[in-house]
Amino acid sequence: MKKIKVTYFDIDGGRAEPIRLALHCLGQDFEDYRFQFSEFAEVRKGTPFGQVPVVELNGEQITQSNALCRYFGKQAGLYPEDDYQALLCDEVMDVVEDISHKLSATMTMTGEALRNAREQLVGPLTTYLKWLGARLIKQGGEYFAENRLTIADLKVFVVVQWLGSGMLDHLPATLVQDCAPELLAHLDRVTSDPKIKSYYA
């Protein structure tokens, strides 16, 4: 029996959420250790790179969210076996990581510095979102690889939710709707998947 502990901020989102979702789809029990932002300075001391998420797997601490998504995604049947479809899946996952890196760089900013940084992000985010929308359409309009749910869809699902949440000050909550509305239909499709619904229930 695997002993798995996922350590991340106490939010439904971020880099740990696709990992949590993949574990749920796998039917794997895990300890979902969530901490407050005020506790991060202490938590990060126990991580290899001062970053989260980290996953303890049978006592071994593993880092890198995309690697973890692939590992659990493969076990859950959420990662393509075909090499080309796996490439498409990885490409989308890395694009979402690019978005996350840009947003994460602004998370400790305040005041005018935050406003300016977020306003300057609108252009790059628009480019990424339009590309994701076009890639989705090219793949048939429903999923990003193999015409079925994969971890690429989970990654996009989480970041699109985040961008539309209104929680990111100085970014328009309508950004996805304005530049890639097909991603909102994708969001609804993933939300309505029985396994995803059961996780949030």
Side-chain angles (χ1 to χ4, degrees):
M1 185 70 175
K2 291 179 182 176
K3 291 184 178 180
I4 298 172
K5 177 181 178 181
V6 179
T7 297
Y8 197 66
F9 299 104
D10 187 16
I11 57 172
D12 289 331
R15 289 184 169 95
E17 193 76 349
I19 298 169
R20 295 171 181 148
L21 289 167
L23 283 163
H24 176 77
C25 291
L26 177 58
Q28 172 68 55
D29 290 334
F30 65 99
E31 181 183 348
D32 189 8
Y33 179 68
R34 300 178 180 226
F35 59 88
Q36 300 301 315
F37 286 94
S38 60
E39 300 174 275
F40 182 44
E42 188 61 31
V43 171
R44 71 190 307 172
K45 293 177 184 177
T47 69
F49 306 117
Q51 300 172 340
V52 289
V54 292
V55 172
E56 288 182 31
L57 182 60
N58 292 331
E60 181 77 18
Q61 195 175 65
I62 310 293
T63 68
Q64 304 303 324
S65 56
N66 276 355
L68 289 160
C69 278
R70 273 189 291 273
Y71 177 73
F72 295 121
K74 286 177 181 179
Q75 295 175 54
L78 295 173
Y79 189 76
E81 293 186 8
D82 176 82
D83 287 344
Y84 181 69
Q85 293 299 317
L87 173 65
L88 296 179
C89 185
D90 288 344
E91 180 187 34
V92 168
M93 291 172 66
D94 286 344
V95 167
V96 174
E97 277 302 296
D98 285 349
I99 294 172
S100 296
H101 282 305
K102 290 183 180 299
L103 289 170
S104 295
T106 68
M107 297 307 286
T108 58
M109 297 179 181
T110 58
E112 283 302 304
L114 177 63
R115 177 186 294 275
N116 291 337
R118 290 273 172 84
E119 288 177 349
Q120 290 175 21
L121 274 184
V122 170
L125 290 178
T126 297
T127 299
Y128 284 121
L129 291 168
K130 284 185 174 180
W131 183 90
L132 285 168
R135 174 61 82 195
L136 180 67
I137 290 170
K138 190 172 183 180
Q139 290 305 111
E142 294 193 351
Y143 300 101
F144 283 97
E146 286 196 333
N147 200 31
R148 66 182 183 89
L149 186 72
T150 68
I151 49 176
D153 300 291
L154 300 184
K155 293 275 290 189
V156 174
F157 163 75
V158 170
V159 81
V160 167
Q161 273 193 322
W162 192 26
L163 288 169
S165 68
M167 295 169 57
L168 293 164
D169 293 340
H170 313 301
L171 280 180
T174 59
L175 184 60
V176 177
Q177 176 182 326
D178 294 341
C179 65
E182 51 278 339
L183 296 181
L184 295 181
H186 175 265
L187 176 72
D188 290 340
R189 187 172 299 109
V190 175
T191 301
S192 64
D193 183 276
K195 288 185 178 180
I196 305 305
K197 285 179 71 173
S198 67
Y199 174 79
Y200 290 108

